[in-house]
Amino acid sequence: MDFTICPFCNEDVPSMELERHANNHFENEEQAIDLEVAQAISLVEYDETGNGSGEFDIHEKKIRSLSDLQIRANFHKVEPGLMTLLKKCLDLESEKSTSIISGYVDHFESIEFEDVGWGCGWRNIQMLSSNLFSEREESKKVLFGGCGFVPDISSLQRWLEIAWGRGFDVIGSSHFDMAIHGERKWIGTTECAALFRSFGVRARIVDFDSKPCLENQGVQKRKHDQVYGPMDQFLSGGSRADVSSSSAKRGHEVLMEWIWNYFRKPGNDRVIVSDKTPLYFQHDGHSRTIVGIQVKHQKNGSRQYNLLILDPAHSTVALERSLRENVGWQKLIKRGGHTLRKPQYQLCYIDSGIADKDETEKLKILESIYVEF
């Protein structure tokens, strides 16, 4: 039997067992750090009872502990960047079209035996975070204690618990009993928004619904009654009818046009890079990240849209290979309007800038823009 020296502990290990043995080192390290974080937080809670020093605010102590002990997410990094490869492929397409895409975005895939089947929401948060770290300096300074990297799921779960503890999305947190660390529970758009808002990042929610908003049928939609950011102004101003009220538009065309208007940026290039963040895209059973949209102008004057999506269920290596070879990437990334068959969708987008203390208090209550299609 062939043996190989483990690069982490210098132990002789059967070659066929090396990968499993090496992975155990990472698992043990993560467990040890999780334990250290839990111990630090328990000491903070002990202080808060009055039996300890109680010198600092409990949440500030938790934030400080987690900032020091959180773990960087492990992912396959694509050089010179996945969006750079996507832009090249879109430029090479033969059909006449215009595409608008976000700037830098890393792809985070769900990992077998780790988060397959429940972790898509966390992976989408990681994708949005990678864009914020790369494209928005103001967000980079405040996110996750200013660590400068995208944390792993375990660390994100702890950050969300801290956000809940500080009063962000009280209603939503009650569905999880304010505890999610170590749980394999699905999260959605509201958890994404609450997490980002806890750092003063202006995360906004949009509900798209094909059903009438009837309170007497037990359906109560959050209505947005205050204008904060540019897309809210778009929907609340004179252009709102173009998006949400036109009976001439069929179903999900409303969703497509909203996304087109969100990413839209002046320019004559075939592929335009927008300064907008990707969109957290939620529907029943799954969530993905929208990194752009493509429009093809038809001879009859109509427009055909394709969403450009990164799916946590896909392999990053497979995505990279298909884009480098310019083969098969359309099946992985493009989604036409005919694929949008769900009756309800939710989006989360992020406005620029960081909220001050007073605005951050208002961000604790989650509202959404309601769009019926």
Side-chain angles (χ1 to χ4, degrees), residues 17 138 194 222 292 349:
E17 296 289 329
E138 74 275 14
R222 292 165 302 211
Y349 69 93

Side-chain angles (χ1 to χ4, degrees), residues 264-287:
R264 186 169 57 181
K265 179 180 178 180
N268 298 318
D269 295 336
R270 186 166 186 177
V271 183
I272 300 168
V273 179
S274 173
D275 58 358
K276 296 296 181 65
T277 62
L279 295 165
Y280 186 114
F281 184 43
Q282 179 76 48
H283 57 78
D284 182 31
H286 194 39
S287 62

Side-chain angles (χ1 to χ4, degrees), residues 86-106:
L86 175 59
K87 183 177 184 300
K88 288 181 179 179
C89 288
L90 290 167
D91 269 324
L92 292 173
E93 284 194 303
S94 57
E95 293 183 276
K96 187 176 181 180
S97 62
T98 301
S99 300
I100 308 179
I101 61 175
S102 292
Y104 187 92
V105 185
D106 286 315

Side-chain angles (χ1 to χ4, degrees), residues 105-131:
V105 185
D106 286 315
H107 178 257
F108 288 79
E109 65 177 279
S110 290
I111 300 173
E112 192 174 5
F113 305 121
E114 184 175 325
D115 68 294
V116 167
W118 62 271
C120 56
W122 300 108
R123 298 304 183 184
N124 291 313
I125 288 173
Q126 289 174 327
M127 287 192 242
L128 264 67
S129 298
S130 71
N131 175 267

Side-chain angles (χ1 to χ4, degrees), residues 64-75:
R64 188 176 302 175
S65 297
L66 186 52
S67 297
D68 293 338
L69 298 171
Q70 64 189 324
I71 303 171
R72 183 190 296 267
N74 184 29
F75 68 101

